[in-house]
Amino acid sequence: MRTAIVTGGGAGIGREISRLLAEAGYRVVIADIDEAAAQGAADEITAAGGRAHSYRLDVADEAQWDKCAEWVRGEFGPAHVLVNNAGIMDTGGFVETGAAQWQRTIDIDLMSVIYGSKVFATQMIDAGIRGHIVNLSSGAAFFPARYIPAYAAAKAAVLMASQALRVELRAKGIGVTAICPGAIRTDLLAHGERAGLDAEEQATWQAQLGQVQSMAFAGPDKVARVVERAIRRNSAVVPVNPEAWLGYVLFRLSPGLVRAVGSVGSFDLADRLLPRIQPLLNRITK
C-alpha cells in the first residue's frame, strides 16, 4: 500500500486532502501540531473504511521532520507522497510587521516545506520510489498586496522552491507540484494575527476576517480534488480558483497592473468597512 503524509491534515484543506487520498487507496499519515484534530481526522477515515494514522508534528522544527521520516519508514516503509499543506496567514504592512512575526511566517510557511521536501525526497531517492511532493503555495505568490507581505513572500518562495525541486528530481522520477488555491473557505484568516493590535482588537479582527473568509467561493474539497489530480498527472504549477488563475496570468503579462491592484486595499479601508458590514456578515453566516 502506498503511503502519503499530509501536514496540517487535522482541519481545512489538509483534512479534505487526507480523506480524498485515503479514498484513492493511500495509507494516510495525518501530521498536525494539533494532535487531537489529527486523531479525529484519522478516526473519520478509518470509520469510512480507509487507512489513516495521526502524528504530532511541529512543521517549523527540522528535528521533528527527521523523526517523522524515520517513524514513517519504520512503520510503513518509504513514503510515496508528501503534501506540505500546513501554514499560517498573518496580516500587517511590511514596515509594521515585526521581525518575530516575519520569522514565524517564514518558519511555518516556507521552511517547513523545505524541511519536509528534503527529508522525504531523500527517502524516496534512497528507496528508488517514483513518488510525488505537493507544496501548497498561494494565489498571493503572484499578488503583492499591501496587507500580507510576509505571507506573500513566503508563498512566492514556496512556488519557486517547488519548481527548482521539480527540475532536480525529474531524473529520479519524482514529481513536484505547487498548488495555488486562492480564497478558500477555511479558518486560515481567523487563526492569523494582525501586527500592531492588542489582544481585544486582535480577537475582533480575527472574528471579522473569519466571517469574510467563510463566504469564499470554493471549499477545501475543491483544493483536495486538484491535489489528487495533480499527483496523477504530475502537474507543475496549478492555480485553483478563478482569481488565482487570473493573478497567475496577469502577473506574467502585466506585473505593473498587478502591483497597482495590490496597492488599492489597505487596513484603513478595512477598518472603516468591516464594522459597517458586520450586521450583514452576521446574518449571512448564521
Side-chain angles (χ1 to χ4, degrees):
M1 176 177 279
R2 296 168 298 172
T3 300
I5 297 91
V6 181
T7 68
I13 293 173
R15 196 175 186 119
E16 285 298 314
I17 293 172
S18 299
R19 182 188 61 78
L20 196 58
L21 290 181
E23 290 180 358
Y26 287 89
R27 174 196 297 111
V28 182
V29 175
I30 301 173
D32 202 301
I33 197 168
D34 186 339
E35 193 169 10
Q39 186 60 56
D43 289 344
E44 285 183 4
I45 290 173
T46 302
R51 298 283 297 276
H53 304 266
S54 64
Y55 187 92
R56 188 187 183 282
L57 175 66
D58 179 354
V59 297
D61 187 332
E62 184 178 12
Q64 289 195 27
W65 273 107
D66 293 336
K67 291 179 180 178
C68 177
E70 290 176 6
W71 179 82
V72 168
R73 184 175 54 205
E75 291 288 324
F76 314 118
H80 295 77
V81 168
L82 168 66
V83 181
N84 282 307
N85 164 75
I88 60 169
M89 185 176 184
D90 288 347
T91 55
F94 195 106
V95 175
E96 68 181 339
T97 300
Q101 196 171 15
W102 269 95
Q103 191 64 60
R104 184 174 99 104
T105 299
I106 296 301
D107 287 344
I108 296 174
D109 289 353
L110 172 59
M111 294 309 299
S112 70
V113 171
I114 294 172
Y115 298 148
S117 296
K118 280 171 61 67
V119 71
F120 277 104
T122 299
Q123 190 174 104
M124 293 175 192
I125 291 169
D126 290 345
I129 288 176
R130 300 175 71 87
H132 204 96
I133 295 172
V134 178
N135 296 326
L136 270 289
S137 181
S138 170
F142 25 83
F143 184 60
R146 296 169 59 182
Y147 37 84
I148 50 170
Y151 179 78
K155 290 300 187 178
V158 168
L159 180 60
M160 179 53 71
S162 299
Q163 294 179 84
L165 185 62
R166 181 180 176 89
V167 170
E168 183 173 335
L169 296 183
R170 181 178 180 182
K172 303 294 184 180
I174 300 171
V176 181
T177 300
I179 304 290
C180 304
I184 306 295
R185 291 191 303 274
T186 68
D187 292 331
L188 184 65
L189 284 170
H191 291 160
E193 298 179 359
R194 174 178 165 184
L197 299 184
D198 61 32
E200 184 176 349
E201 293 169 333
Q202 197 76 252
T204 300
W205 173 256
Q206 289 170 334
Q208 291 172 334
L209 286 192
Q211 286 181 309
V212 171
Q213 190 170 12
S214 70
M215 295 184 292
F217 173 75
D221 57 316
K222 182 177 182 180
V223 183
R225 291 193 299 272
V226 170
V227 167
E228 193 276 332
R229 185 167 61 244
I231 293 171
R232 285 189 285 108
R233 297 180 178 178
N234 190 21
S235 307
V237 180
V238 189
V240 177
N241 279 356
E243 72 275 8
W245 275 107
L246 179 62
Y248 182 60
V249 173
L250 284 180
F251 193 69
R252 288 167 170 261
L253 296 179
S254 180
L257 175 60
V258 175
R259 288 193 294 269
V261 173
S263 69
V264 172
S266 69
F267 286 109
D268 289 340
L269 180 61
D271 289 338
R272 290 197 302 271
L273 291 181
L274 283 176
R276 296 180 182 179
I277 65 173
Q278 188 67 52
L280 176 63
L281 292 175
N282 291 337
R283 288 197 296 272
I284 292 174
T285 55
K286 279 184 179 179

